[in-house]
Amino acid sequence: TVVETLSATYKKMNECLISGILAVLVSDFRKIHSIENWAISTTYPGSTNMPLFILRFYEAFLPKLNQVVFNINTTTSSTTSTVTVDGKSKNSIIPKYPSELTLKSVQTQFVHSLKVLLDNLLNNVLASSTSDKQRQDLFFLRTIANVDVLKSKVFVQIFSTYDNYFKSSLSQSSDDIYATLDDIKITLFEKYIAIYKPEITAIVQKGLRSEDWFHKSEPNGASTYTMELLNFLIMLSSKLQLLKVSASTTRKIQTILQKHMVSKIMDCMREIPHFSTAGIFQVCVDFKFMSEVLRNTLDDDSLKQISSVCKKFTSKAGASSLDDNINKVVNSCLLASKLDMDCFV
């Protein structure tokens, strides 16, 4: 019939319109990096304004998409109409409810737009950090903060809004999106940490390999390389503070880099064939001073490694008074450097 033909035509046109809208949505999010200016947000501390923009965009977009999908005429209170064929009233040519296939397609494209968005944000920070190495810290740390905000706040609200307008339960079945966010955060951490690992390795190798540990004089303080490592970590902590990095992210960065530092020290120690008693004394002073300063940020495995090495070395030295002497020097170092090392407390 004429009504059925018109209804089928309308349905096809509406499906094409919906597909076009969603295609433009995905296309726009492929270029979302172009609006990022890296300015810090006043709404979500530590992040940029990107998470808030994404939230506001979807809050405005989803109600409009709902009107198209559910054939809602905003100028009238009713979504139905009638036509007259052969003098008889017939059902509206406008479907009252979209098909399950349409709703499934909308949800698939909506989720795809989020994945495209996340992929674009990751690619943007990687490209930006390559082209402007002076601002690598800002790019990585602000994007890590963005990912945290997207996961804990923004996407939760977006999924809730979507469920409300499209009668779905996406909030309960969005594990893949949250898994993608976790993967991106891991990638960002790995890339960011990789900037500083070589510098730590260089300090350790130069410090340990340049010393004659068999003809060492009795120490009265921590080794130069130990102080260089701690000063390097202080510099990084200051940088994180200036960029308003969250306490949890700062602690994670510190712990990862410190674990790498201890690992490299252990590797270099294995290369040294012989230690004098004074050399053992110096190694234990360095380790104990380091573990005291970093006791709140070093991981348990690293602390155990340090403790084990000191016990083995002092036992090997066979000097019963060595522990007391080590503690005296370490306490003196801690007192002298207290103000500088307070950032690790």
Side-chain angles (χ1 to χ4, degrees):
T1 66
V2 173
V3 171
E4 290 171 344
T5 301
L6 289 173
S7 181
T9 301
Y10 179 87
K11 180 181 177 183
K12 184 66 176 176
M13 290 172 61
N14 200 48
E15 288 174 353
C16 289
L17 177 60
I18 293 168
S19 295
I21 292 170
L22 293 171
V24 171
L25 171 68
V26 171
S27 176
D28 284 347
F29 277 134
R30 293 190 196 281
K31 296 171 281 189
I32 195 170
H33 64 273
S34 61
I35 67 169
E36 179 63 270
N37 64 2
W38 303 106
I40 197 162
S41 169
T42 56
T43 305
Y44 303 122
S47 71
T48 70
N49 290 307
M50 183 65 78
L52 184 62
F53 170 82
I54 292 168
L55 176 61
R56 294 289 181 257
F57 175 88
Y58 276 109
E59 284 182 338
F61 172 78
L62 290 174
K64 298 298 183 182
L65 182 63
N66 166 266
Q67 292 174 6
V68 176
V69 172
F70 286 88
N71 302 297
I72 297 173
N73 185 348
T74 57
T75 61
T76 66
S77 60
S78 173
T79 62
T80 61
S81 61
T82 59
V83 294
T84 301
V85 178
D86 297 330
K88 298 179 180 179
S89 180
K90 298 291 183 181
N91 291 332
S92 170
I93 64 169
I94 302 176
K96 293 181 180 178
Y97 199 83
S99 68
E100 287 299 318
L101 184 63
T102 297
L103 289 176
K104 185 177 180 180
S105 175
V106 169
Q107 181 168 311
T108 298
Q109 286 295 90
F110 166 72
V111 171
H112 180 55
S113 74
L114 295 176
K115 290 181 177 180
V116 168
L117 159 70
L118 294 177
D119 189 53
N120 187 266
L121 294 182
L122 176 60
N123 290 336
N124 182 40
V125 68
L126 296 179
S128 297
S129 62
T130 300
S131 61
D132 186 357
K133 293 187 181 296
Q134 295 298 316
R135 297 202 297 163
Q136 287 184 104
D137 296 272
L138 182 145
F139 298 142
F140 278 107
L141 296 171
R142 293 267 165 90
T143 306
I144 287 171
N146 286 352
V147 170
D148 284 338
V149 172
L150 288 173
K151 182 178 180 181
S152 64
K153 295 181 174 68
V154 171
F155 278 12
V156 174
Q157 291 178 251
I158 289 173
F159 288 139
S160 177
T161 301
Y162 184 90
D163 288 345
N164 180 52
Y165 280 108
F166 294 92
K167 313 296 186 290
S168 70
S169 57
L170 191 55
S171 297
Q172 309 303 318
S173 57
S174 50
D175 290 349
D176 57 333
I177 290 292
Y178 289 116
T180 300
L181 283 163
D182 289 337
D183 289 342
I184 289 174
K185 188 172 179 179
I186 290 170
T187 299
L188 292 172
F189 261 110
E190 288 176 348
K191 297 287 186 183
Y192 182 66
I193 295 298
I195 297 171
Y196 292 107
K197 279 185 175 181
E199 295 184 57
I200 290 174
T201 300
I203 295 172
V204 170
Q205 290 177 343
K206 181 182 178 182
L208 285 169
R209 290 172 180 174
S210 63
E211 291 284 353
D212 182 352
W213 293 96
F214 191 66
H215 297 95
K216 193 83 175 164
S217 58
E218 191 169 290
N220 56 13
S223 294
T224 301
Y225 91 92
T226 302
M227 298 307 296
E228 284 181 11
L229 284 171
L230 292 174
N231 286 332
F232 176 84
L233 294 174
I234 289 170
M235 175 275 295
L236 181 58
S237 293
S238 298
K239 191 178 289 187
L240 299 179
Q241 189 174 16
L242 284 171
L243 290 171
K244 302 187 183 301
V245 178
S246 70
S248 60
T249 298
T250 297
R251 185 58 56 89
K252 184 174 181 179
I253 291 168
Q254 289 174 332
T255 299
I256 293 172
L257 287 176
Q258 289 164 18
K259 185 174 184 178
H260 173 75
M261 176 186 72
V262 172
S263 173
K264 289 304 171 185
I265 292 173
M266 296 298 179
D267 288 344
C268 285
M269 298 279 282
R270 294 186 189 101
E271 299 173 2
I272 301 168
H274 302 291
F275 290 88
S276 66
T277 300
I280 289 173
F281 191 172
Q282 182 69 72
V283 168
C284 291
V285 166
D286 292 339
F287 267 150
K288 287 202 170 185
F289 175 61
M290 198 180 294
S291 62
E292 281 297 315
V293 171
L294 305 176
R295 65 186 180 279
N296 292 323
T297 50
L298 265 179
D299 65 296
D300 290 341
D301 288 342
S302 295
L303 287 170
K304 287 176 183 176
Q305 274 186 297
I306 289 173
S307 178
S308 176
V309 168
C310 287
K311 283 179 181 178
K312 286 179 182 178
F313 271 31
T314 52
S315 175
K316 184 178 179 180
S320 58
S321 62
L322 193 57
D323 276 337
D324 288 339
N325 292 335
I326 290 168
N327 289 333
K328 285 179 183 177
V329 176
V330 169
N331 289 335
S332 176
C333 289
L334 289 171
L335 188 62
S337 59
K338 187 178 185 302
L339 290 177
D340 291 333
M341 304 302 168
D342 274 352
C343 64
F344 298 114
V345 176

